[in-house]
Amino acid sequence: MAAGSPVNATELLDLVNPSVSADEPLDARDIELVQTTFKKVAEVGPEAAGRILFGHIFRIAPEAKALFSFAKDEETMWLPGSRLEKHGARVVNTVATAVSMLNDLEALVPVLQRLGLQHVGYKVLPPHYDVVGQAFIATLDDALQTEFTEAVKNAYLKVWKIVQATMIGDNYA
């Protein structure tokens, strides 16, 4: 916008009170919000972010520990270099890859489909995706703090809906 030009009320409204319906399709603004803010998550480091993520998963659904062999020993699973830390880092790095591919859903979808099929073999069920989604949002809230606005949260919810629907796909029909 050029200096001195009138402010469009619609543009101003979007900045002050952006649409936050996760039922709307993912758009370029959502992708930009996610890609920009996920860089801050990356600054925390994949190991730390992974530990935070799994802390939220196990807080939300303690029974999920049964799905992970590394969760059998409460004392050692949280230590640096643990299997939980390594797995959490892989999860965060996979999310980072997906975030980087949001502008190319045609390439991302087959990756998520394969990942979903792998998780069937790990005995992951559709309700588990809801738990991980809640934990993911809580992790983002921890990492982004004041930058985790309703618009940012909404953008991540839209992304999670795509990830969840694609990974579940027809794997449980």
Side-chain angles (χ1 to χ4, degrees):
M1 177 183 318
S5 45
V7 175
N8 179 324
T10 306
E11 289 175 15
L12 184 61
L13 179 62
D14 185 54
L15 293 173
V16 174
N17 191 15
S19 171
V20 290
S21 171
D23 293 326
E24 295 175 15
L26 185 70
D27 61 26
R29 180 173 178 262
D30 296 319
I31 292 170
E32 183 178 344
L33 282 172
V34 169
Q35 289 179 334
T36 301
T37 57
F38 200 78
K39 290 176 185 171
K40 185 168 182 183
V41 176
E43 289 172 9
V44 171
E47 293 82 5
R51 280 193 307 275
I52 295 167
L53 175 67
F54 274 90
H56 285 301
I57 290 171
F58 297 152
R59 176 185 53 78
I60 294 166
E63 67 278 8
K65 289 179 183 176
L67 294 169
F68 301 95
S69 60
F70 57 71
K72 298 201 183 348
D73 186 354
E74 284 280 337
E75 288 184 33
T76 62
M77 77 175 182
W78 299 106
L79 295 176
S82 68
R83 289 176 47 218
L84 176 141
E85 184 177 80
K86 290 175 184 170
H87 183 72
R90 280 195 307 275
V91 171
V92 171
N93 286 329
T94 299
V95 171
T97 299
V99 165
S100 75
M101 296 175 73
L102 288 174
N103 284 311
D104 189 3
L105 291 179
E106 198 171 297
L108 177 58
V109 165
V111 172
L112 293 174
Q113 288 170 329
R114 283 190 302 275
L115 193 57
L117 191 56
Q118 285 177 337
H119 279 75
V120 171
Y122 302 142
K123 308 219 182 318
V124 172
L125 300 173
H128 296 146
Y129 287 91
D130 291 328
V131 170
V132 174
Q134 291 173 45
F136 179 56
I137 294 300
T139 301
L140 292 166
D141 190 17
D142 290 341
L144 298 173
Q145 300 174 6
T146 60
E147 292 177 46
F148 196 60
T149 63
E150 284 301 310
V152 170
K153 179 179 180 180
N154 181 64
Y156 277 102
L157 287 169
K158 288 179 185 182
V159 169
W160 184 253
K161 281 178 71 170
I162 292 168
V163 169
Q164 181 175 6
T166 306
M167 287 182 69
I168 291 173
D170 295 330
N171 291 326
Y172 300 94

